[in-house]
Amino acid sequence: MYKATIFVTLKESVLDPQGVAVKGTLHTMGYTEVSDVRIGKRLEVSLEAANQEEAEVAVTAMCQKLFSNPVIENFRFDLEEV
Amino acid sequence: MYKATIFVTLKESVLDPQGVAVKGTLHTMGYTEVSDVRIGKRLEVSLEAANQEEAEVAVTAMCQKLFSNPVIENFRFDLEEV
C-alpha cells in the first residue's frame, strides 16, 4: 500500500481570485500586513501498487487527468509506502 | 517579508464526502486500486512582520479564525523569510 500526498497549485502567472478575496477578508479582520494569498489543494490518495514506480505512474496519471488543470495549475506529490 | 505555507486537513475521524466522491470518479476512470482519498487546502500567505515570532503569531491567528474550522479541521504551516 502506498500513500501519495499531492499538492496542486496555480501557476505563478495565473490570477487567483479566491486568494484576492481571502486577502481582502484578512485586511478587513485587521491583518493589513498580508500582501498576497494563493490558494491550492492538498490531496492524500491511498492506493495499492506492485512497486513504487507503478504507484508513481498511476498517481501522475490521476493528477494529469483529474486533480489538476494543466493549463493553469502545477502539481507535485510525495509518495511513501505505508 | 515572510511566507507561510499552510496545510488545512480534515481530522482523521471526520468523513470526507468530497474525498469519497473523488474516489468514486477514480474508480469509474479505472483506478480501482485507490482505497482512500482525503482532500484539504494548501495556502501561501505573504506578510510583513518584525520577526519570525511575530509572523508565527499572526499566521496562527489567521488559521484559527479564518482558514480552518477547529471542530473538524487541523492546520499546520511552514514559515520562511523571503
Side-chain angles (χ1 to χ4, degrees):
Chain A
M1 175 75 86
Y2 290 84
K3 189 169 95 171
T5 305
I6 300 158
F7 304 103
V8 178
T9 52
L10 283 170
K11 292 183 177 178
E12 287 294 325
S13 57
V14 176
L15 175 69
D16 181 354
Q18 201 182 358
V20 170
V22 168
K23 186 174 84 170
T25 304
L26 287 170
H27 284 185
T28 307
M29 293 169 71
Y31 299 107
T32 50
E33 68 270 31
V34 170
S35 54
D36 192 37
V37 177
R38 306 277 294 176
I39 297 178
K41 288 173 277 195
R42 178 189 185 276
L43 302 100
E44 279 175 24
V45 175
S46 305
L47 71 156
E48 286 293 342
N51 52 52
Q52 179 99 357
E53 203 197 325
E54 190 180 289
E56 217 151 275
V57 167
V59 173
T60 301
M62 293 176 211
C63 289
Q64 289 168 336
K65 292 178 188 167
L66 184 64
F67 298 147
S68 77
N69 173 346
V71 176
I72 59 169
E73 290 175 322
N74 294 317
F75 69 84
R76 69 171 184 81
F77 60 86
D78 303 322
L79 194 61
E80 59 180 318
E81 191 161 14
V82 291
Chain B
M1 176 75 87
Y2 290 84
K3 189 170 94 170
T5 304
I6 300 158
F7 304 103
V8 179
T9 53
L10 284 170
K11 291 183 176 177
E12 287 294 324
S13 58
V14 176
L15 176 70
D16 180 355
Q18 201 181 359
V20 170
V22 168
K23 186 175 85 171
T25 303
L26 288 170
H27 283 185
T28 307
M29 293 169 70
Y31 298 107
T32 50
E33 67 271 32
V34 170
S35 54
D36 192 37
V37 177
R38 305 279 292 176
I39 298 179
K41 290 173 276 194
R42 178 187 185 277
L43 301 100
E44 281 176 24
V45 175
S46 304
L47 71 157
E48 285 294 342
N51 51 53
Q52 178 100 359
E53 203 197 326
E54 190 181 288
E56 217 149 276
V57 168
V59 173
T60 301
M62 292 176 211
C63 288
Q64 288 167 337
K65 291 178 186 168
L66 184 63
F67 297 148
S68 76
N69 173 345
V71 175
I72 59 168
E73 291 173 322
N74 294 317
F75 68 84
R76 67 173 184 82
F77 59 86
D78 303 322
L79 193 61
E80 57 180 322
E81 190 161 14
V82 291

